[in-house]
Amino acid sequence: MFLLDGSSDVTEDDFRRSLRFVELLAKSFNVSSGHTHVALVIYADDPQTIFDLSGTLSVSDINAAVSVVSFHNTVNRNVGKGLIHISDNVIATNGRAGVPKVVVTVQNLKSLDGIDVISLQLKSDGIKVISIGHGDEIAKGQLREMAFKPSAVYVKDIGDDTIDSVNFVVSVKESIFSGKQ
């Protein structure tokens, strides 16, 4: 599952690069009803599900859905609301039992709402959160707090790569598979 920052804290160009990252990472998996399911939630003031884990999407469906996503560009960045939304409205409604769950969050500045309680809940539920800081004022402490473990596997710093580069996508995919509970 992807949780992307759509607030005014990211530029529209960075937002589009984050969406391209979703397309590239989804393309690297076997997305189908019997294999990998993908969901996308955009947060700003309030979270919005773009597509859920229903399993009916192909990579081309994901690309088509992503191509029409509008940039919210609102002041508030409520990552906590986004994580709660994923837990209550995406995983609870379409998450398959016995299938590992991974949430990839992308954010710039610190969330304006609380992430501590929902982060602990997700961890206790065995949901792996990979936190990605994207922007010029990354909230590294909050990224570590959300991450399944505060390690390089679960907290990704883009560094010299851009979020939609092949190198970065490969790095995140490796984190999804190499991180052990």
Side-chain angles (χ1 to χ4, degrees), residues 4 42 54 66 94 104 107 115 135 166:
L4 303 184
I42 307 294
S54 64
V66 164
N94 289 309
V104 178
Q107 79 179 75
I115 61 151
V166 171

Side-chain angles (χ1 to χ4, degrees), residues 5 7 23 27 39 47 55 65-67 73 84 98 102 127 146-147 153 167-168 179:
D5 188 346
S7 73
E23 291 176 317
K27 183 179 177 181
V66 164
S67 71
N73 195 25
I84 292 167
V102 177
I127 298 166
M146 283 186 298
V153 171
N167 289 340
F168 189 73

Side-chain angles (χ1 to χ4, degrees), residues 2-6 10-27 38-43 48-51 59 62-72 104 106 132 134 162-165 169:
F2 296 94
L3 179 62
L4 303 184
D5 188 346
V10 295
T11 65
E12 185 162 4
D13 286 343
D14 282 344
F15 179 72
R16 296 284 164 217
R17 279 192 272 287
S18 294
L19 290 172
R20 178 77 179 134
F21 163 72
V22 170
E23 291 176 317
L24 290 171
L25 191 57
K27 183 179 177 181
V38 179
L40 173 60
V41 173
I42 307 294
Y43 69 87
Q48 175 190 7
T49 301
I50 306 302
F51 47 85
V59 170
I62 291 168
N63 293 345
V66 164
S67 71
V68 296
V69 172
S70 61
F71 179 45
H72 292 193
V104 178
V106 178
I132 298 173
H134 185 219
T162 57
I163 195 165
D164 60 345
S165 73
V169 169

Side-chain angles (χ1 to χ4, degrees), residues 49-117:
T49 301
I50 306 302
F51 47 85
D52 61 25
L53 295 172
S54 64
T56 59
L57 295 177
S58 66
V59 170
S60 55
D61 293 331
I62 291 168
N63 293 345
V66 164
S67 71
V68 296
V69 172
S70 61
F71 179 45
H72 292 193
N73 195 25
T74 60
V75 176
N76 292 327
R77 60 194 168 286
N78 296 315
V79 182
K81 276 186 179 180
L83 290 170
I84 292 167
H85 181 82
I86 281 180
S87 178
D88 293 351
N89 299 299
V90 177
I91 295 172
T93 59
N94 289 309
R96 295 177 289 169
V99 175
K101 312 239 180 347
V102 177
V103 177
V104 178
T105 66
V106 178
Q107 79 179 75
N108 184 8
L109 298 171
K110 187 176 179 180
S111 180
L112 294 174
D113 64 347
I115 61 151
D116 51 345
V117 173

Side-chain angles (χ1 to χ4, degrees), residues 157-174:
D157 186 356
I158 293 171
D160 294 333
D161 288 330
T162 57
I163 195 165
D164 60 345
S165 73
V166 171
N167 289 340
F168 189 73
V169 169
V170 167
S171 170
V172 172
K173 185 174 180 180
E174 288 172 355

